Amino acid sequence: MIKKSAGIALRRSPAMKVGASVRRRAAAGLASGRSTLVDSVLMPAAQGSAARVQYAAVLDGHTLNLRALLPAGVPVPGASGADAAGADGDAPARAHVLFISGGTRIRAAARLHRERDGQTSVQATVLLGEDIGGVPVTLGRWTLGLELESGSPAPVRLQLIGDGAPAYGGPTRPLDTCVRTGRRHRLGLTPAGRLRLTIAPAVARAEVLRVNRAFTGTSVLFAVYGPDAARDGAAPPVVELVEQQRRTVLRHTAEPLPADATAWRVTLPLGRLLDTSARQTWSLRLVPGPRGGKPLEIGRHGHDLRSPRKVLTPPKFTVRAGDGTFVEVKPQYTRRGALQLVCTPRKSGTP
């Protein structure tokens, strides 16, 4: 109890706020220094064989958004306002984003665009993953480049230098985990400054689908994603209800939801479980299966929110305990996205 209170006090202290400010300034300084390195060292060293990345991000977990400026002197047919088109009625110039891993090269369509200052940019929106109808990139590291087909026998190939990472200051951030496959996509740089996409396998997670309210308790609908998510023939998952302060652990077996092998419902009869003498905070986690591992916190993890606790605010409800006391139940999410049930007994006898 003392250890937990000390941790909460430390997180809320002005010193931690100063630390966060210092970290933000350090990150901004690092980004500025990286841009200076790219523009003053790496791009000149490429000697016109690289395009400067201005924007690159995986925003919804599986769609790459890219914009890069072509270097001067690249033989690209003239362009007007929209997509680039060849001069004298030639066929439109074609551009592709290259995904390179060892000897494997995968191409995805891109667009050429004439900017107002006369420069030519390449823009692309690429769906990642063959199983969701996108390009067949697999797990591992992929270096990104460009290929331009402008009518000459050999295509023009360019490196993509610079990460183009945007600065996000609002309530959301880029979502790097695909909500359909669970794969994680992260953009970074090679030691030479080239844009690189790293694809990591799905990790197990338990996502809240809905929190149902009742006068006697609640039921939480959740889905399990990642390795072994579909538990055909396996025993139903066991959910632990953990009271943080008193270290109380209660176990309940979940029941399957129809037509979805990954979705479950756990019913919590809070009216019979609660100790109405004090405020209690309960969290939910999955007991590891036969293969072992760590317990999974049930919550909202597959999102793009910086602060799920401030944005995701399920409504409160009232439960009547066995001794006749009315208890206010407030579902909330921690900074890490774990679901909590904060149960506060009412002093009066009315809901």
Side-chain angles (χ1 to χ4, degrees):
M1 179 66 180
I2 296 177
K3 182 178 179 181
K4 180 183 176 182
S5 301
I8 294 174
L10 179 61
R11 288 195 299 269
R12 295 179 178 178
S13 67
M16 291 300 292
K17 295 180 180 180
V18 172
S21 177
V22 171
R23 288 194 297 271
R24 285 194 296 268
R25 288 199 299 268
L30 180 62
S32 176
R34 186 167 57 234
S35 295
T36 301
L37 174 66
V38 169
D39 292 327
S40 61
V41 178
L42 299 180
M43 286 299 294
Q47 299 180 351
S49 64
R52 175 63 162 99
V53 177
Q54 291 194 315
Y55 180 90
V58 179
L59 296 182
D60 62 354
H62 52 231
T63 305
L64 170 67
N65 295 268
L66 174 69
R67 183 177 185 273
L69 284 179
L70 298 182
V74 172
V76 176
S80 58
D83 293 342
D88 301 325
D90 292 340
R94 291 186 295 175
H96 294 87
V97 178
L98 287 179
F99 295 82
I100 306 167
S101 178
T104 303
R105 290 176 179 263
I106 299 175
R107 292 168 176 81
R111 303 177 304 278
L112 293 172
H113 184 81
R114 177 72 72 182
E115 302 293 328
R116 291 185 177 181
D117 59 3
Q119 290 183 288
T120 301
S121 66
V122 174
Q123 302 173 16
T125 303
V126 184
L127 188 63
L128 303 173
E130 186 176 21
D131 49 355
I132 59 174
V135 295
V137 289
T138 55
L139 301 179
R141 292 180 174 180
W142 295 82
T143 302
L144 274 61
L146 292 177
E147 185 176 84
L148 308 177
E149 299 179 11
S150 57
S152 59
V156 177
R157 291 198 175 110
L158 300 173
Q159 304 174 35
L160 282 171
I161 290 183
D163 59 353
Y168 293 91
T172 61
R173 55 174 174 77
L175 179 63
D176 59 3
T177 301
C178 176
V179 296
R180 295 174 60 181
T181 66
R183 287 191 297 263
R184 293 163 292 160
H185 302 89
R186 183 174 60 84
L187 287 171
L189 297 179
T190 68
R194 298 186 64 180
L195 188 63
R196 180 167 62 190
L197 174 68
T198 301
I199 306 177
V203 296
R205 70 185 196 277
E207 291 285 333
V208 170
L209 302 177
R210 189 166 69 246
V211 178
N212 291 333
R213 296 169 289 169
F215 200 51
T216 57
T218 182
S219 62
V220 178
L221 279 60
F222 64 94
V224 182
Y225 299 103
D228 303 325
R231 304 164 56 98
D232 294 336
V238 176
V239 177
E240 288 185 338
L241 189 62
V242 183
E243 207 288 310
Q244 298 179 350
Q245 296 181 350
R246 303 184 185 183
R247 302 298 181 185
T248 304
V249 179
L250 304 174
R251 290 192 171 190
H252 297 268
T253 301
E255 58 181 330
L257 294 180
D260 189 344
T262 64
W264 305 86
R265 176 194 290 110
V266 59
T267 301
L268 306 174
L270 296 178
R272 293 192 287 107
L273 302 178
L274 294 176
D275 178 359
T276 57
S277 63
R279 182 176 181 266
Q280 295 176 294
T281 300
W282 297 85
S283 59
L284 290 81
R285 66 189 185 192
L286 287 186
V287 176
R291 297 187 181 182
K294 295 181 178 180
L296 294 181
E297 291 181 328
I298 298 178
R300 294 287 298 273
H301 307 289
H303 57 76
D304 62 352
L305 302 173
R306 289 188 180 275
S307 179
R309 187 166 191 167
K310 294 181 179 179
V311 179
L312 304 175
T313 55
K316 305 175 185 177
F317 59 98
T318 300
V319 168
R320 189 176 189 273
D323 62 359
T325 303
F326 291 98
V327 180
E328 181 186 81
V329 181
K330 178 185 177 184
Q332 66 181 22
Y333 293 94
T334 67
R335 291 188 298 175
R336 294 189 305 176
L339 176 65
Q340 291 182 332
L341 301 175
V342 181
C343 304
T344 306
R346 294 180 179 270
K347 295 181 179 180
S348 63
T350 57

